[in-house]
Amino acid sequence: MLSVMDDDDYNLEVLGYKPSFRREFSNLATISFAFSILGLCSSIAMTFNTPLLLGGPASATWCWLLGSCLCFTLGSSIAEIVSAFPTCGGLYTASAQLCPLSHRAIVGWIVGWLSILGQTAGLASSEFGVANMILAAVTIASPSFEITQGKTVGLFTGLLITHGTLNSIATKYLAFYARGFVFVNLGATIVIIIVLLATTPRSEMHTASYVFGSLGIINQTGGWNTGIAFLFGLLSVQWTARDPFVLISSLMTGDYDATAHISEEVRRAAYAAPSAIFIAVIGTGILGWILTIVLVLCSGNIKDLPGVSGSAFLQIMVLRMGTPVALFLWSFVCLTGFFVVQTGLQAGSRTFYAFSRDHGFPDHGYFGHISKWTQTPLRAIWLITIMSILPGFLDLASPIAANAIFALTAMALDLSYIIPIFLRRVYGNHPEVQFKPGPFYMGPGIVGWVANVACISWTLFVCVVFSLPTVLPVTKENMNYAAIITVGVIVLSGLWYILGAHRHYHGPTSNLEGKAGTKLGTNEARPTNALRVDIPEKHMEQDYVA
């Protein structure tokens, strides 16, 4: 029987690309990777201040549920496209394939840059979040410890270099370690939920009205009406907070297509990658909501939060569990945050690699190189590592400028997600667009349409929320620059393309080096379970079992 990897490689060639990676990610490793990029308990730890201290406890509770349900439609829509285009270019490659030939280059160029800069800013901001989580624990253990910008940026830089180093090992080792991420992630979340409930006296738990009702709507925005303040709870689902009023990274929208970016390293990619996205979004949404409810239930007096650590999540744990137990469990929360950046850097480096492979950078394909030693894109790994470090150094000179760059993340990535979904529907019957559904397909009927329309509408709505300053009156310190920076990226990338980039970038380009019929989008993909009859018998083997 034909091996799964040969079958995957054949389908990659049909899409126009030469197989360059080793397919080492099993179903378990791929699902674990998808869970890790969403973070779960570490993501809530980084964001919990925002809804709790802006809209109140009820805002945190209901907005997580609302956001998770609508994000599920986005995750499903993305999974459907990833199943059809399982390449490391992810939705960038798909966007260019889902529009007419005359638009492919400019669409691919803009979506590519939105994805690249969004992932870079998200990586930097997530690492800042991890650094702040570690320093928050230090302040609990040693109240005299003073957190400075220099200490934060130094720790942030050291962590990123560590992640760059860890990502430089061979794919089989990345896949091996990734398999354990999901157990730490889910296990830490479940244990924290149980311990919080066990250590909080029933008499000190808040009422249902405080957790779900009107008593829990507490407007602390300084000027926005209660409705807007309540909606700021959505930012917990969408963003990572560096502090209570500066929002800098995406979470549930974090990197939905991260699994797509490693699909050339995944066995049965057209099945495994979209399934992992689907499962991770559901699991993160449900467990995240339960954790949020328990945190609010056990939160104590809101006036005492976020406390000396600056983290409401950690302060609640210390209040209920005591310092030793809280810090022990917090170490696992920090570890899940570490996994977020580890997987995010791997996915981001594959995006850089794919864009360079398609001649998107004026580098003559330098960063589209695969190391013969590790069979991974080492040059792209260290490019994104260095680019992610730069905002940290900028923070030393101008925190306002650094926050403006961080603000790019969620809006840029969200727009890069919905563009291919929109194009697929608009050009579905265009003769130059051939969308061949993969194994994960919601069908041509109302289910797919409802999911697509809902996620596009939802994303545009939350982009408006993203654009609002969360605290009034507005100053240069608390101004939200997300919309300005995102529009700037689109305009500047468009001008760059018109003025010069069109000479070297012509959209996703086949690298099959002269093989017949390899132009992207010109062939029909063979079913993923079909056999290749031209493989010598000595190379045949059993299918891999997840």
Side-chain angles (χ1 to χ4, degrees):
M1 187 179 293
L2 176 68
S3 77
V4 170
M5 289 189 291
D6 284 328
D7 200 45
D8 280 331
D9 289 346
Y10 176 88
N11 281 282
L12 184 61
E13 289 179 356
V14 168
L15 291 173
Y17 291 113
K18 177 176 65 178
S20 301
F21 294 90
R22 292 194 178 103
R23 295 186 181 273
E24 303 283 1
F25 275 76
S26 63
N27 284 0
L28 174 59
T30 307
I31 292 171
S32 183
F33 185 96
F35 265 103
S36 297
I37 198 70
L38 296 180
L40 191 51
C41 63
S42 63
S43 296
I44 294 177
M46 295 182 203
T47 62
F48 192 60
N49 285 15
T50 303
L52 185 70
L53 303 180
L54 291 178
S59 171
T61 302
W62 287 114
C63 284
W64 183 276
L65 177 63
L66 174 63
S68 296
C69 291
L70 272 300
C71 284
F72 172 68
T73 66
L74 180 60
S76 300
S77 299
I78 289 173
E80 189 175 48
I81 292 177
V82 168
S83 184
F85 299 95
T87 76
C88 63
L91 297 184
Y92 144 69
T93 301
S95 297
Q97 294 299 329
L98 293 171
C99 62
L101 289 170
S102 59
H103 303 335
R104 285 185 181 177
I106 187 63
V107 169
W109 177 260
I110 291 176
V111 173
W113 277 108
L114 284 172
S115 182
I116 284 170
L117 294 180
Q119 287 184 71
T120 303
L123 196 64
S125 61
S126 296
E127 197 74 280
F128 251 111
V130 176
N132 281 327
M133 288 167 63
I134 294 172
L135 292 174
V138 175
T139 61
I140 292 293
S142 178
S144 61
F145 180 81
E146 181 182 359
I147 299 177
T148 64
Q149 275 186 306
K151 292 175 182 176
T152 304
V153 173
L155 179 57
F156 156 83
T157 303
L159 286 169
L160 267 176
I161 292 174
T162 300
H163 281 114
T165 303
L166 290 175
N167 266 283
S168 297
I169 63 178
T171 303
K172 66 177 180 179
Y173 300 114
L174 293 173
F176 177 79
Y177 291 117
R179 287 184 298 180
F181 292 173
V182 66
F183 298 107
V184 176
N185 201 338
L186 300 182
T189 303
I190 293 171
V191 170
I192 289 171
I193 290 171
I194 293 172
V195 175
L196 276 175
L197 291 174
T199 55
T200 305
R202 183 70 178 271
S203 60
E204 295 181 17
M205 290 183 179
H206 288 292
T207 63
S209 181
Y210 184 84
V211 178
F212 300 102
S214 57
L215 287 180
I217 300 177
I218 304 171
N219 186 346
Q220 299 184 76
T221 60
W224 287 112
N225 63 49
T226 301
I228 297 295
F230 181 85
L231 289 176
F232 284 146
L234 295 172
L235 301 177
S236 180
V237 191
Q238 310 294 134
W239 298 66
T240 295
R242 182 174 171 193
D243 57 49
F245 53 85
V246 180
L247 306 169
I248 59 180
S249 174
S250 62
L251 285 176
M252 284 286 289
T253 60
D255 205 350
Y256 277 128
D257 71 334
T259 312
H261 296 306
I262 66 162
S263 61
E264 293 181 31
E265 301 162 79
V266 172
R267 302 168 192 163
R268 302 177 74 244
Y271 292 93
S275 298
I277 295 171
F278 186 81
I279 293 169
V281 171
I282 293 176
T284 300
I286 294 173
L287 267 179
W289 193 46
I290 295 172
L291 177 58
T292 300
I293 291 172
V294 171
L295 284 169
V296 171
L297 191 68
C298 305
S299 60
N301 193 333
I302 194 171
K303 295 180 180 179
D304 297 331
L305 300 175
V308 295
S309 67
S311 168
F313 190 118
L314 176 56
Q315 208 65 36
I316 293 169
M317 290 175 63
V318 171
L319 171 67
R320 299 308 180 188
M321 305 175 188
T323 299
V325 176
L327 291 181
F328 174 74
L329 292 179
W330 186 253
S331 66
F332 289 96
V333 178
C334 293
L335 190 59
T336 63
F338 188 89
F339 295 158
V340 170
V341 183
Q342 177 70 13
T343 51
L345 197 151
Q346 183 180 349
S349 67
R350 275 48 173 181
T351 307
F352 276 65
Y353 162 80
F355 203 55
S356 178
R357 179 175 64 179
D358 290 335
H359 309 292
F361 298 128
D363 65 342
H364 301 288
Y366 179 80
F367 293 105
H369 174 267
I370 295 292
S371 168
K372 294 180 180 179
W373 177 50
T374 63
Q375 208 73 19
T376 58
L378 289 180
R379 296 173 183 174
I381 288 168
W382 284 100
L383 174 62
I384 189 173
T385 300
I386 293 170
M387 286 186 62
S388 299
I389 289 174
L390 294 179
F393 291 137
L394 181 61
D395 186 73
L396 291 174
S398 174
I400 296 174
N403 290 331
I405 292 176
F406 292 147
L408 167 70
T409 304
M411 190 176 293
L413 287 178
D414 278 355
L415 291 176
S416 75
Y417 297 155
I418 64 171
I419 288 173
I421 298 169
F422 175 78
L423 292 174
R424 184 211 152 190
R425 290 302 179 182
V426 171
Y427 294 110
N429 297 318
H430 196 282
E432 294 178 356
V433 177
Q434 297 180 354
F435 176 74
K436 301 294 181 182
F440 187 98
Y441 183 45
M442 290 185 284
I446 191 171
V447 174
W449 269 99
V450 168
N452 292 167
V453 172
C455 74
I456 291 172
S457 303
W458 164 252
T459 301
L460 293 175
F461 170 73
V462 294
C463 280
V464 174
V465 180
F466 288 162
S467 303
L468 300 175
T470 55
V471 177
L472 297 178
V474 178
T475 66
K476 63 180 182 180
E477 285 80 15
N478 64 26
M479 174 62 184
N480 188 339
Y481 296 94
I484 298 172
I485 298 296
T486 304
V487 172
V489 168
I490 295 173
V491 171
L492 291 176
S493 63
L495 288 175
W496 184 7
Y497 178 79
I498 293 170
L499 296 177
H502 66 276
R503 297 187 181 92
H504 61 81
Y505 180 75
H506 308 288
T509 306
S510 174
N511 65 347
L512 289 176
E513 300 175 355
K515 290 187 180 181
T518 58
K519 290 183 179 180
L520 275 66
T522 61
N523 289 325
E524 292 188 7
R526 174 185 59 165
T528 56
N529 60 352
L531 298 178
R532 286 180 68 182
V533 298
D534 58 343
I535 295 181
E537 185 175 349
K538 66 179 181 180
H539 292 302
M540 291 186 178
E541 54 182 314
Q542 294 292 328
D543 284 356
Y544 283 93
V545 180

